Amino acid sequence: MTARVALVSGGTGGIGTAIVKRLTSLGHKVATNYRDEAKANAWAAHMKAQGVNVAIVPGDVGDVSAAESIVKAVEHKLGPIDILVNNAGITRDTTFHKMSALQWQEVINTNLNSCFNMTRPVIDGMRNRKWGRIIQISSINGQKGQYGQANYAASKAGMHGFTISLAQENAKFGITVNTVSPGYVATEMVMAVPEDVRAKIAAQIPIGRLGDPDEVAYAVAFFTNDEARWITGANLAINGGQYMGW
Ligand code: CAA
């Protein structure tokens, strides 16, 4: 396996951490961004103690110029970016009739506008070098919708629209663009759902449990392989069987 440079946005979160660990274990040089310096330093120290070396750079992916700075800082530390995982995401769950403009905008900005912000500064380099892997971490709820998540579901469905367009434009340049759509994985984000609501959701999962973050990271690593070069524009559901749309 060729060692590559990978940037995983939101790498300090539940699924992000698992992706960072798995890509480093494959020999890639991995970086992530952060917004909270103290939290990120503690996280990086914790990673180091486990033998995981990860570069951390400050910046909010929802901001165009901050995203450019993230990419520049990572390229300065590790070299040109070969693998981009657009993983950073937030929720602001509420039924639509109660939703504020801010709750709508924050979610669309962090989850969807970030895909433009982060991908735009890396795409030219990938095209010039004729190799790239871009992976969007979407959600089951972008595929099926979710009561209380009009903002989040719209952002996550939008991410796959981004994937399938970018996949077409960059296929000739050795760049694949794919989406991974996790279901309910045991992370802080899912644990923030009220317990009674969460129990009802868990009961709808045929495999009978929430997902493990590493079960998502496994699929992300799969798409980064050289041998995955003919797979582009795919949307891979990883949800314990909760939603089997096709
Ligand atoms: N289908 C139908 N009705 C539903 C429903 C559903 N799925 N969920 C809630 N309701 C109903 C309730 O039964 C209740 O009905 P009654 O008033 O008749 O008793 C009513 O909706 C409550 O509505 P409210 O407007 O009062 O809602 P609320 O303020 O109490 O909160 C909510 C509603 C915020 C949507 C809450 O139910 C919730 O948090 N739901 C979970 C949303 C969710 O799945 N988020 C995923 C977060 S994790 C993530 O996003 C990661 C990922 O990618 C999977």
Side-chain angles (χ1 to χ4, degrees), residues 36-37 70 72 105 210 243:
D36 179 336
E37 187 169 5
I70 292 168
K72 268 199 193 124
Q105 286 154 4
L210 299 179
Y243 179 73

Side-chain angles (χ1 to χ4, degrees), residues 93 139-141 144-149 182-185 189-211 239-243:
D93 293 356
S139 164
I140 184 175
N141 293 341
K144 69 165 187 55
Q146 170 60 40
Y147 197 104
Q149 285 201 309
Y184 285 76
V185 176
M189 185 186 271
V190 166
M191 291 313 182
V193 173
E195 201 177 343
D196 55 327
V197 178
R198 208 172 62 233
K200 281 188 197 142
I201 293 168
Q204 295 160 15
I205 303 175
I207 289 185
R209 60 169 174 83
L210 299 179
N239 59 35
Q242 190 186 346
Y243 179 73

Side-chain angles (χ1 to χ4, degrees), residues 133-144:
R133 296 286 183 267
I134 300 170
I135 297 151
Q136 272 60 253
I137 308 300
S138 178
S139 164
I140 184 175
N141 293 341
Q143 299 177 293
K144 69 165 187 55

Side-chain angles (χ1 to χ4, degrees), residues 3 24 74 85 95 104 121-122 142 159 193 198 204 208 215 229 234:
T24 52
V74 171
V85 185
T95 42
W104 173 266
V122 305
M159 288 174 85
V193 173
R198 208 172 62 233
Q204 295 160 15
E215 290 162 347
R229 60 189 161 255

